[in-house]
Amino acid sequence: MTVAVNPAAPHHLPAFIAGPGETDVFMIVMAVVLVIAVMAIGLLFLRLHTLPERIAHKGHKLQFEIVAVLGLLALFTHIHAFWVAGLLLALIDIPNFGWPLRRIAGSLEKIAGVPPGKGADDEPDRIVPDHAPDEGATEVPKIVTLSRMPKERTDA
């Protein structure tokens, strides 16, 4: 059975046009290319989106968890300011204030003759008030004076 070509069609059809009942190879190839392109663009988007988190993790930053939370907020809310804030926070180094304070504490323990790291062992874990309130005493309220603003003139 031969398929008759429509008389209005040109005599030389391109190779990618499939005849009736044939498989359209070009459509299948384009569907595969489309799926691969969508996956590649999605992967590129996610790699770019996690850039601040990867920078903070690679640099062993103290603020890594804050950067990760900002990245999640940017992902779920589509507010790009969170992503920019996370990127800026991942790029800066927050100074480590604990190191000098630990050195100061260590020096004070050495001066006091306490073994290193044992300075707060004698302190209780709970907060104890300095004084117990007396049974018969009443607490005197503090007098607070408010500063007055001059009234605006209503004369016009």
Side-chain angles (χ1 to χ4, degrees):
M1 175 175 185
T2 5
V3 179
V5 178
N6 189 336
H11 296 292
H12 301 290
L13 293 175
F16 61 83
I17 294 181
E22 295 179 5
T23 303
D24 192 356
V25 178
F26 185 67
M27 183 185 74
I28 293 173
V29 169
M30 287 311 299
V32 169
V33 167
L34 179 67
V35 167
I36 291 172
V38 167
M39 296 294 279
I41 290 172
L43 184 64
L44 177 69
F45 173 74
L46 287 176
R47 291 282 290 177
L48 181 65
H49 187 76
T50 60
L51 179 68
E53 190 174 346
R54 287 185 285 124
I55 289 173
H57 187 267
K58 198 180 298 183
H60 302 290
K61 307 277 182 162
L62 296 173
Q63 64 269 26
F64 169 71
E65 292 175 355
I66 298 170
V67 172
V69 169
L70 285 172
L72 285 175
L73 282 173
L75 179 66
F76 292 129
T77 61
H78 300 289
I79 299 175
H80 303 299
F82 289 134
W83 187 85
V84 172
L87 181 64
L88 291 176
L89 196 58
L91 291 174
I92 64 170
D93 286 328
I94 294 179
N96 185 4
F97 293 113
W99 177 72
L101 294 176
R102 279 193 295 278
R103 287 196 59 201
I104 292 169
S107 297
L108 289 174
E109 287 174 345
K110 188 185 291 185
I111 291 171
V114 178
K118 302 292 183 185
D121 287 346
D122 296 336
E123 294 295 320
D125 290 338
R126 59 186 175 85
I127 298 173
V128 180
D130 292 338
H131 64 284
D134 297 332
E135 291 295 324
T138 59
E139 192 172 321
V140 179
K142 293 181 181 177
I143 298 174
V144 178
T145 58
L146 299 176
S147 62
R148 295 188 177 216
M149 299 291 293
K151 292 184 178 179
E152 294 182 17
R153 294 185 181 221
T154 57
D155 302 335

